[in-house]
Amino acid sequence: MAHIEEIRNKIHLDLHTVRNTEDTKYPGTYTGYDDSWNLAKFKNNFKIEIVSRSARDVEFDMIAIDTPFANSFRRILLAEVPTMAVEEVFIYNNTSVMQDEVLAHRLGLLPINVDARLFEMKEKGDKVTERNTLRFRLKVRCKRNKKAPTDTTNPDELYLNSKVYTRTIEWEPIGDQKNWIPGGVRFTEDDILVNVLRPGQELDMVLCAVKGIGSDHAKFSPVATASYRLMPEIQLLQPFRGHLARNLRIAFHRVLLRLWMGRRSLNVLDWTLE
């Protein structure tokens, strides 16, 4: 049984080969071994431990789970978690060098910082309501800067509004949205470059954002990327003592080590990347 558990739960990286990469957890693989999948057993053993979390990323360990299930979590994060994204752009004026359809596509990819759970899906034929649509206004015109230094060639000094950023786009609440959306609505970053203008060029448009999922369009994907990796377990073939133990710790200085220390020796190493 111990040998079967080794095959089932660990991938071995040998000198020239990689062993146990195939999945064998299905009934009938081993005689006399109950390998049937059980939901209650899975729920009892499966654990998620948060390693790090911030406003922009999260790293967590999934314990007692097979690779196909881990990959399913990754695909769900990419394609099944709903978000809000710009779906329609009503262009009243665009005299920039960027074509209307290119600019509309670019606007659709701007990430919006709002809780999508507050909104409903807008189906085809549905009317715009405060519960299914967010509305933004982009109106900007580039002018010459009369106070610019005479010897400068920097467009940022020569012109006003020469670069259009996400902070230029204003949220226009529909109905009573201002009261039931906590913190208001904004884009995740204020300095995402949308377009570049020159004197006389102007943008005037209305943006409408709706709720959707990444499997319909990549603009609805809530993550830039989602990946997983198998956590390694390094087994030392012999004890390391004295200066050899110290040298081993120096060699792995870029990882966080959880060591079993005994009489200044290192026997087992379990590590995670910083």
Side-chain angles (χ1 to χ4, degrees):
M1 291 297 182
H3 178 63
I4 294 176
E5 288 297 324
E6 183 82 6
I7 294 175
R8 284 160 45 95
N9 297 324
K10 293 184 179 180
I11 295 177
H12 285 259
L13 276 69
D14 298 330
L15 182 60
H16 299 293
T17 59
V18 180
R19 295 186 287 116
N20 305 340
T21 57
E22 68 280 356
D23 188 11
T24 61
K25 292 185 179 180
Y26 47 86
T29 306
Y30 305 105
T31 303
Y33 196 91
D34 183 14
D35 235 342
S36 58
W37 192 83
N38 184 282
L39 177 60
K41 182 180 178 181
F42 172 78
K43 292 171 65 176
N44 184 58
N45 295 332
F46 178 57
K47 296 179 182 178
I48 292 181
E49 294 182 356
I50 304 296
V51 178
S52 62
R53 181 173 58 183
S54 67
R56 292 290 178 266
D57 59 79
V58 60
E59 179 182 352
F60 56 90
D61 292 342
M62 293 185 290
I63 302 170
I65 190 172
D66 293 331
T67 302
F69 285 100
N71 189 51
S72 297
F73 276 96
R74 184 189 68 86
R75 293 175 66 90
I76 289 172
L77 290 173
L78 287 169
E80 300 296 334
V81 178
T83 63
M84 302 292 289
V86 174
E87 178 72 7
E88 295 179 322
V89 179
F90 299 93
I91 301 176
Y92 300 107
N93 194 10
N94 174 23
T95 55
S96 70
V97 297
M98 188 177 294
Q99 298 92 335
D100 291 351
E101 59 272 19
V102 176
L103 180 57
H105 182 268
R106 188 178 183 87
L107 293 169
L109 296 175
L110 296 176
I112 303 174
N113 188 11
V114 67
D115 189 350
R117 293 173 295 183
L118 299 173
F119 297 87
E120 302 170 352
M121 288 285 189
K122 184 175 182 294
E123 305 296 340
K124 187 176 181 180
D126 289 349
K127 295 182 178 180
V128 173
T129 68
E130 63 180 273
R131 287 291 176 177
N132 63 21
T133 303
L134 288 171
R135 185 167 59 203
F136 301 89
R137 186 64 182 258
L138 174 57
K139 185 176 178 64
V140 60
R141 182 182 179 88
C142 181
K143 301 178 181 179
R144 292 188 179 275
N145 184 10
K146 297 180 180 180
K147 298 181 180 180
T150 56
D151 58 344
T152 184
T153 58
N154 185 356
D156 294 337
E157 297 178 348
L158 288 172
Y159 315 126
L160 300 175
N161 300 324
S162 62
K163 292 181 180 179
V164 181
Y165 295 98
T166 45
R167 57 175 169 266
T168 312
I169 305 175
E170 297 181 354
W171 171 49
E172 294 185 343
I174 301 175
D176 200 35
Q177 285 182 343
K178 194 172 183 178
N179 294 326
W180 58 265
I181 299 180
V185 180
R186 58 184 178 84
F187 293 93
T188 56
E189 301 291 344
D190 293 332
D191 58 350
I192 300 176
L193 184 63
V194 177
N195 204 348
V196 176
L197 303 177
R198 287 297 178 262
Q201 295 180 350
E202 182 180 1
L203 295 177
D204 186 5
M205 56 194 64
V206 173
L207 289 58
C208 292
V210 299
K211 185 177 181 177
I213 56 177
S215 58
D216 291 335
H217 196 286
K219 67 184 178 183
F220 292 111
S221 180
V223 293
T225 183
S227 61
Y228 71 92
R229 59 185 173 88
L230 301 178
M231 295 301 296
E233 179 185 277
I234 302 174
Q235 294 184 350
L236 305 180
L237 301 181
Q238 64 183 33
F240 285 73
R241 298 184 176 87
H243 73 281
L244 292 179
R246 290 192 296 271
N247 290 341
L248 183 63
R249 293 194 66 176
I250 294 173
F252 284 89
H253 72 281
R254 295 188 61 187
V255 300
L256 302 176
L257 302 179
R258 295 191 294 272
L259 306 172
W260 177 33
M261 303 286 294
R263 295 183 181 178
R264 300 181 65 187
S265 66
L266 306 180
N267 291 348
V268 180
L269 221 87
D270 181 21
W271 62 280
T272 56
L273 289 176
E274 284 184 329

